[in-house]
Amino acid sequence: MTPDAPPTPQEIARAFEMWEEHLASVPDDPGSGRAVAERLYRDCAAASGAETSSTDLLDFIKDLAENGSVTNEDRGPVRSFWSYESQPEGADRPVPHRFLARACGESRDLQVLEDTPAGHQLNSYHLDNAFVVDALARHYTFDNTVLASAHGEAWGTLSEHYAQKAETEVVAFVPDITAGSVLGKDEMPKLLNNENVGKHGVKFAVPLPRHEHLPPDIDELIGNDAVRCQLVMEDYDPAKSPEEFAMKLYAIDVPEGQQEAHQHAVERLSTATSYEELNPATPDTKRSRVRTNSFLPGVNVGHSIVPASRRGPTSHGAIEPAAPHIGPEPAGIEH
């Protein structure tokens, strides 16, 4: 099996199992939140060798991100990246890609940030959880927004280091890449500039969703891995003009064999006044567009979204806009 092969039924089942294990581990009352806060307090005190202050706590989180190991020595060299969720073929509901990546990491010997020493440790502190934050606030005098910012910056730093360490091709578990996601703003730019990876080294294990506002041939073009990794969902947002997408598409580094399709797509997009003109709706696509009702990454037409009762974080260090979430709602702190 290649590292970027579609997830197997066994891997999908394992991803759902991991999701349930995660939900069971999330602090859901003041007592469990206090237990996590006390563990963080002890870890911070052990690192500083003295009683800790709010400054020490923030420094401890920063140091973990800057100096912690982002490589699992028990895994192979191929690194996986993830964002959002989708509903795999044969699954009865969407699965968060964080767990799909981890499940495939187990079976395919892939690196996964959350399974590296630093990623696992930071993840275990649940710093986006209201009960943990409330417990910490009783020990330290800090503004919750400051902790939220430190937590987000820590995941951003870890993610950049994790991407910089890539030494071969990587595998992405993501439908559409968004500009504001950790993958879009921190990881993918590093991967594209990494001489060991680049556009030809980014492979996708999750298919690109069909974008009904785009002509099939243009949708097929942006589904090419080396093209797909250079674009973000906002580039082909149906609320924007085709000309804006043409400018973005024109500026990318076109992989060999795609030049003609690329030129044709840019010409068509740049001369169209609307996506409706470019891709007239049929009765079927009209119904699809009504059902979709929004431009959500990885949510296939007609598929249900994760219930609100199961919402929670979907990416390292940042709640991604427009994405459904899983688990308890954080109290103003972004994952």
Side-chain angles (χ1 to χ4, degrees):
M1 177 189 298
T2 60
D4 60 325
T8 66
Q10 293 77 17
E11 289 169 332
I12 294 169
R14 177 59 178 146
F16 280 115
E17 188 177 292
M18 287 180 161
W19 186 10
E20 294 300 329
E21 291 170 356
H22 166 76
L23 291 174
S25 73
V26 174
D28 57 1
D29 58 41
S32 56
R34 184 170 58 253
V36 173
E38 289 173 351
R39 175 163 53 84
L40 172 57
Y41 181 89
R42 290 194 299 271
D43 290 351
C44 182
S48 64
E51 289 295 317
T52 59
S53 65
S54 59
T55 301
D56 293 325
L57 177 67
L58 297 176
D59 286 343
F60 174 71
I61 295 170
K62 182 179 180 181
D63 182 70
L64 173 61
E66 292 181 344
N67 300 306
S69 172
V70 289
T71 299
N72 185 340
E73 299 297 339
D74 296 327
R75 297 279 178 86
V78 178
R79 292 177 181 257
S80 63
F81 296 81
W82 61 266
S83 190
Y84 287 114
E85 64 176 27
S86 66
Q87 185 165 337
E89 185 175 352
D92 62 356
R93 63 191 189 279
V95 59
H97 289 143
R98 63 184 294 185
F99 304 112
L100 196 58
R102 290 189 60 208
C104 292
E106 275 188 351
S107 59
R108 305 181 190 191
D109 205 32
L110 306 176
Q111 296 284 335
V112 184
L113 179 56
E114 286 75 12
D115 290 335
T116 66
H120 176 75
Q121 184 175 353
L122 183 59
N123 207 36
S124 74
Y125 292 141
H126 296 284
L127 291 175
D128 57 349
N129 181 274
F131 296 111
V132 174
V133 173
D134 288 346
L136 287 172
R138 294 192 180 97
H139 292 284
Y140 302 107
T141 54
F142 58 74
D143 185 330
N144 286 2
T145 59
V146 174
L147 179 59
S149 177
H151 182 222
E153 289 174 4
W155 274 117
T157 299
L158 274 182
S159 298
E160 288 187 11
H161 290 177
Y162 178 72
Q164 288 171 336
K165 291 285 188 180
E167 298 177 346
T168 183
E169 69 177 24
V170 302
V171 180
F173 294 82
V174 59
D176 292 282
I177 301 171
T178 63
S181 67
V182 173
L183 178 62
K185 67 184 177 65
D186 295 323
E187 295 171 334
M188 194 57 70
K190 295 294 183 184
L191 292 172
L192 292 176
N193 287 323
N194 184 329
E195 62 181 12
N196 297 317
V197 185
K199 65 180 184 295
H200 292 299
V202 180
K203 308 299 180 183
F204 292 83
V206 175
L208 187 71
R210 173 74 177 102
H211 305 101
E212 295 293 347
H213 68 293
L214 295 177
D217 58 325
I218 295 180
D219 216 28
E220 181 179 356
L221 171 66
I222 67 173
N224 176 279
D225 285 355
V227 174
R228 182 177 174 182
C229 66
Q230 298 182 71
L231 297 171
V232 294
M233 187 178 69
E234 289 79 359
D235 293 337
Y236 41 88
D237 187 336
K240 298 180 180 179
S241 70
E243 185 177 7
E244 289 180 86
F245 181 26
M247 294 173 64
K248 294 288 186 180
L249 194 59
Y250 176 79
I252 71 169
D253 183 13
V254 185
E256 187 176 352
Q258 295 296 321
Q259 290 91 342
E260 185 175 346
H262 174 257
Q263 182 179 353
H264 181 62
V266 169
E267 289 175 354
R268 291 184 66 193
L269 289 164
S270 61
T271 57
T273 58
S274 69
Y275 282 111
E276 182 68 23
E277 173 193 324
L278 187 67
N279 186 36
T282 65
D284 286 341
T285 58
K286 284 180 180 178
R287 285 194 293 270
S288 294
R289 292 172 193 178
V290 169
R291 286 200 305 270
T292 306
N293 198 34
S294 62
F295 196 46
L296 296 179
V299 180
N300 297 325
V301 173
H303 292 164
S304 62
I305 308 297
V306 178
S309 62
R310 297 172 68 86
R311 291 178 181 174
T314 60
S315 179
H316 338 292
I319 290 178
E320 303 185 33
H325 304 302
I326 304 99
E329 290 288 353
I333 291 190
E334 299 182 345
H335 173 66

